[in-house]
Amino acid sequence: MNAAEFVLEDVAKRFGSERRGHVAVKGLTDRFSNTQSVGIIGESGSGKSTLGRMLCALETATSGSIRFNGEEIADIRASKPKLIQFRRDVQLIGQDTTSSFDPRHSLRESIMYPAMSLTGLSRKEAYEKTDQVVELLGLSPKMADRPSEGVSGGQRQRFAIARALIVEPRILVCDEVVSALDVSVQGGILNFLKTYHRDREAGIIFISHGLPATSFISSELRVMFQGEFVEAGSTRRVVTEPEADYTKKLLAGYRAVPETLEAEVA
Ligand SMILES: Nc1ncnc2c1ncn2[C@@H]1O[C@H](COP(=O)(O)OP(=O)(O)O)[C@@H](O)[C@H]1O
Ligand SMILES: [Mg+2]
């Protein structure tokens, strides 16, 4: 499988004008590769989704550089063939899967069509591959013939993951993928993603405001506060020996002692 890597240098994103706008992200310098599972944690409004959307080429940085496999995201966005390859390599899974599925289509169609246009699979091939990926997620292919309102929230999130995985991405950006789900269904999805990362060497960038899920799935953490990374390191180090005051405050909000954070989700 191909290697894939993001390199970020002093990335900033401002919404609105220089004078009256709002800086959502600033000074981010980092690397993310397909061999890593990196958690990005921070409170609501700290800039996590803006970062995720920039990584997925859905938003452009105001300044600084984001390169994917050596190529500037801005250049990838400007070239249709490059963007198609990029969409095969990097997939976003979001929180609100209700609105991301077109109610006029079956779940199967919503999975098949984008895969066909990105990979050039025939209809028959895409149909069969949809069955495979749906089964991989522990769902029945028969259920895929329903519209998205015909399944539960947890099932719909699994279909959203199937839709991302059908193109065999090298890096998955997961933005609050379990935050809206009951704890009882979160564990299965987190375990699936963790196993997928390990077995396929697909990178995971796991964005969330919830520490237990994030530390369970991620071997590294970035703590985001007001648009900046205030702490970065291995998950174990960050939860056992936090350096930044904000991280200490964040950890204090959890009943569990750090060592049991994993057990809470598993
Ligand atoms: N499209 C946008 N236009 C203007 N402001 C935005 C936009 N998207 C996000 N913001 C602002 O940027 C900040 C960071 O938002 P976001 O990245 O969604 O944070 P998080 O995902 O951590 O909750 C917030 O203050 C938010 O209001
Ligand atoms: Mg968000």
Side-chain angles (χ1 to χ4, degrees):
M1 274 293 189
N2 304 337
E5 186 183 43
F6 280 106
V7 177
L8 287 73
E9 284 173 57
D10 204 18
V11 174
K13 175 68 181 179
R14 186 188 66 238
F15 291 107
S17 71
E18 207 161 323
R19 260 185 62 230
R20 304 177 62 185
H22 172 74
V23 178
V25 161
K26 58 191 169 221
L28 301 190
T29 295
D30 211 334
R31 275 167 192 271
F32 305 116
S33 84
N34 66 291
T35 60
Q36 294 171 291
S37 55
V38 182
I40 297 174
I41 182 137
E43 64 198 19
S44 176
S46 55
K48 307 181 299 297
S49 293
T50 301
L51 169 60
R53 290 175 57 76
M54 287 193 290
L55 291 173
C56 292
L58 297 168
E59 201 92 73
T60 46
T62 312
S63 62
S65 153
I66 303 179
R67 272 171 283 145
F68 178 73
N69 290 348
E71 198 115 38
E72 283 291 336
I73 293 288
D75 295 337
I76 293 173
R77 278 167 61 101
S79 150
K80 197 168 177 202
K82 282 181 187 171
L83 192 58
I84 287 175
Q85 183 58 48
F86 180 79
R87 297 260 175 264
R88 293 176 65 165
D89 287 333
V90 180
Q91 281 279 318
L92 175 69
I93 308 168
Q95 166 171 24
D96 187 1
T97 55
T98 319
S99 66
S100 78
F101 282 107
D102 187 333
R104 294 167 302 179
H105 292 151
S106 67
L107 288 156
R108 174 184 296 285
E109 289 167 330
S110 298
I111 295 170
M112 275 174 67
Y113 293 158
M116 285 163 71
S117 64
L118 287 178
T119 65
L121 287 178
S122 71
R123 209 188 150 79
K124 182 169 179 289
E125 287 163 340
Y127 191 100
E128 284 165 7
K129 198 152 187 203
T130 301
D131 280 357
Q132 286 166 15
V133 74
V134 161
E135 282 181 338
L136 182 69
L137 266 302
L139 300 156
S140 85
K142 242 182 143 173
M143 197 184 271
D145 295 320
R146 299 182 196 167
S148 62
E149 318 92 278
V151 301
S152 72
Q155 288 162 343
R156 191 158 47 237
Q157 190 58 285
R158 283 175 188 260
F159 279 109
I161 297 170
R163 181 177 54 184
L165 297 188
I166 190 169
V167 298
E168 300 175 10
R170 304 308 299 129
I171 295 186
L172 273 174
V173 178
C174 303
D175 189 354
E176 308 279 8
V177 289
V178 294
S179 306
L181 302 175
D182 288 346
V183 174
S184 59
V185 293
Q186 287 188 9
I189 289 177
L190 293 170
N191 275 315
F192 173 85
L193 289 171
K194 195 167 177 168
T195 307
Y196 189 87
H197 161 67
R198 196 187 55 212
D199 294 351
R200 311 282 177 117
E201 283 205 349
I204 294 197
I205 298 173
F206 192 87
I207 295 171
S208 173
H209 65 275
L211 187 64
T214 311
S215 60
F216 170 73
I217 202 158
S218 314
S219 52
E220 287 175 57
L221 288 182
R222 309 287 184 261
V223 181
M224 216 166 167
F225 179 65
Q226 295 185 351
E228 294 179 274
F229 290 159
V230 292
E231 179 133 18
S234 76
T235 300
R236 186 140 294 276
R237 202 280 295 156
V238 172
V239 300
T240 54
E241 299 162 53
E243 283 163 9
D245 287 344
Y246 179 74
T247 314
K248 290 176 190 164
K249 232 173 74 187
L250 189 86
L251 283 163
Y254 288 89
R255 269 182 301 111
V257 295
E259 281 75 9
T260 65
L261 283 172
E262 288 198 9
E264 199 167 300
V265 184

